[in-house]
Structures are given as structure tokens and as C-alpha cells.
Amino acid sequence: MSVKGYVHSLESFGLVDGPGVRYVVFLQGCKMRCKFCHNPETWSAEGGEEYTAEELFKKAYRYKNYWKQNGGITVSGGEPLLQIEFVTEFFRLAKQKGINTVLDTAGQPFSENDEWLEKFRALMEYTDLVMLDLKEMDAKLHHDLTGFGNENVLKMAQWLSDNNKPMWIRHVLVPGVTDDESGLREMKRFVDMLNGVERIEVLPYHTLGMFKWEKLGIPYPLDGVRTPTDEEVKKAEEILGIQK
């Protein structure tokens, strides 16, 4: 039987989800409860539209003329690794057509369990680039921010490095939450030890998803937290060694 997955939404002309123009698939389901999440409606594993990998690929492939030489398909979430078999089959179909594939993940499901790691290796065979969200280096602060520790996230980054997998590192900058200089310097030291990091991005915190929390009846934990200034973003980029 074809592998089925649950899709929250689709974007046919993504410009910030990997290199070039991307067809972006946002999958349903995420176990993290990030305080700054702008898509809380993707948390539940229930809901979304059901697709087989073949159905979704046919839908995406209609947009191939937009991708040119450096575009392709990105799978995001939610958390795509919660539907790892589906993403693997979807990417396998894409690679048969020579399409660039990007996985956008926070790494929370990563495990060194042999059975899970075998599935992850299979996915990586068909993945050209991993965009890994490093939310916070301190394990306690990471747990407070997301509901989970970050030990396995860092292990995933190390696995990608050990296996020479190209990756982009992303960090959401929240004033007073994820912008402490010592944490950013620790992140810089960690990233500097990794192989395959092609790019580091600072994503300024925004409140555009706050209305979704209100609609779902969930108290917004960062109510009153402002967005970072251009100067604060620039300082974080300098600490992380980002040159523009």
C-alpha cells in the first residue's frame, strides 16, 4: 500500500524555505510546544488533508517550471520527522525526477535507537539539505521554551555532521528569551565544530501567529514580548559569524 501522510497546508511559491523557489509542504503534527510558535494549529496529529506520497508528488510536480536550476521541494511542519516514512517516499519520488529536496525540522523526534536511525538514514538518502532549527543551547532553557530538552537535537546535528550532510542552521531571536549573548556564543562554538553547515540564519521573532493562539483558546505565553530591533538582529548575526 502507498504510504499516507497528513498535510496541514501547501505553498506553491516559497522563497524563504531553502534555495531558490520552493514548493513547500507543511505537515500536520508536532510534539513541541514552542512559546513563539506561529502555527499552533499544526500541533495536533489529527486533522489535515490525507495524501499518498504519489498524490502529493503529482500535485507538487505541476509547479516544476518555477523551480529552475536551484529550486525544488521543501517539507516542513509541524514536525516532518513524525511522518518519516511518508517524507522518505515523497522525497524518493522527487529524486527520481532529479528534484532538489529540503527537510525543515526542529529535530525533536531524532533518536539513536537502531530502528529509528535506520529510517532516518533512508530519508537522508533522498534529502539534499537539512534546515535545522536550533532554538536554544541550554537544555533547561530549551525545555522551558519547547517542553523538551535539546540533547537529541544536538545529537542529530552531530549525526548530520559526521555523515557530511549539508545543512542550514536557523535560530529564532526572541528578545529576553533566546538572545542572551552567552547562549549565542555557545551556539557559535557548537556550529563551528560541525561539518556541512552552509548557512546560519537568524529569524527575528514576530507576533503574526498570535491570533491563532487566541482562536484556539490557548493563552499566548509571550504576550507583551516585543520583536527584536534591527540592531539586535545584527548583533546576533555578528556573534554567530554571519556575514552579509
Side-chain angles (χ1 to χ4, degrees):
M1 292 181 63
S2 297
V3 183
K4 293 183 178 179
Y6 294 89
V7 175
H8 169 261
S9 57
L10 302 167
E11 184 178 350
S12 58
F13 203 81
L15 296 173
V16 295
D17 303 278
V21 177
R22 318 294 302 179
Y23 187 92
V24 189
V25 178
F26 297 94
L27 295 183
Q28 190 72 31
C30 184
K31 292 183 179 180
M32 279 186 172
R33 295 295 180 264
C34 299
K35 291 181 177 180
F36 52 73
C37 181
H38 59 274
N39 287 318
E41 73 278 16
T42 67
W43 289 351
S44 174
E46 305 296 325
E49 188 170 353
E50 184 181 82
Y51 286 88
T52 65
E54 290 84 357
E55 288 169 342
L56 184 59
F57 178 71
K58 287 179 181 177
K59 193 177 186 75
Y61 195 58
R62 298 172 190 164
Y63 295 86
K64 64 182 184 299
N65 289 336
Y66 290 111
W67 304 336
K68 306 301 181 184
Q69 296 299 317
N70 64 335
I73 292 173
T74 297
V75 175
S76 185
E79 174 49 66
L81 290 179
L82 291 177
Q83 300 190 53
I84 191 168
E85 293 94 343
F86 177 71
V87 181
T88 301
E89 179 61 13
F90 180 57
F91 277 4
R92 185 187 69 81
L93 295 170
K95 296 314 296 177
Q96 283 184 341
K97 296 290 188 179
I99 297 168
N100 180 272
T101 55
V102 171
L103 177 75
D104 182 8
T105 175
Q108 180 273 323
F110 182 82
S111 171
E112 293 182 306
N113 171 278
D114 288 344
E115 183 179 350
W116 197 92
L117 202 53
E118 183 178 351
K119 293 178 181 179
F120 186 69
R121 285 195 185 97
L123 171 59
M124 290 298 100
E125 288 182 19
Y126 306 113
T127 303
D128 291 309
L129 172 70
V130 176
M131 294 198 305
L132 180 60
D133 189 2
L134 291 186
K135 300 176 186 295
E136 177 62 58
M137 291 301 295
D138 182 272
K140 185 178 182 300
L141 293 175
H142 192 281
H143 192 281
D144 181 61
L145 185 65
T146 71
F148 289 86
N150 65 350
E151 294 86 352
N152 63 327
V153 177
L154 301 182
K155 285 180 179 178
M156 177 175 162
Q158 191 61 59
W159 189 96
L160 294 170
S161 172
D162 292 344
N163 288 271
N164 298 306
K165 201 70 192 176
M167 57 181 136
W168 289 6
I169 301 296
R170 299 176 125 187
H171 177 68
V172 178
L173 192 72
V174 186
V177 182
T178 67
D179 65 340
D180 58 297
E181 188 169 327
S182 62
L184 291 171
R185 292 195 183 283
E186 185 180 353
M187 184 175 292
K188 167 71 166 137
R189 286 192 294 270
F190 177 73
V191 172
D192 280 349
M193 293 188 298
L194 300 175
N195 298 312
V197 177
E198 298 180 343
R199 183 169 177 173
I200 307 173
E201 294 182 326
V202 171
L203 307 180
Y205 163 72
H206 62 74
T207 59
L208 299 177
M210 190 185 301
F211 77 96
K212 298 180 183 179
W213 291 68
E214 296 171 352
K215 185 177 180 180
L216 292 169
I218 308 171
Y220 188 65
L222 297 184
D223 191 20
V225 175
R226 62 176 177 81
T227 58
T229 64
D230 291 343
E231 291 75 17
E232 288 169 328
V233 172
K234 183 178 179 181
K235 180 181 178 182
E237 290 176 338
E238 289 175 350
I239 292 173
L240 291 171
I242 300 172
Q243 297 181 349
K244 291 191 173 182

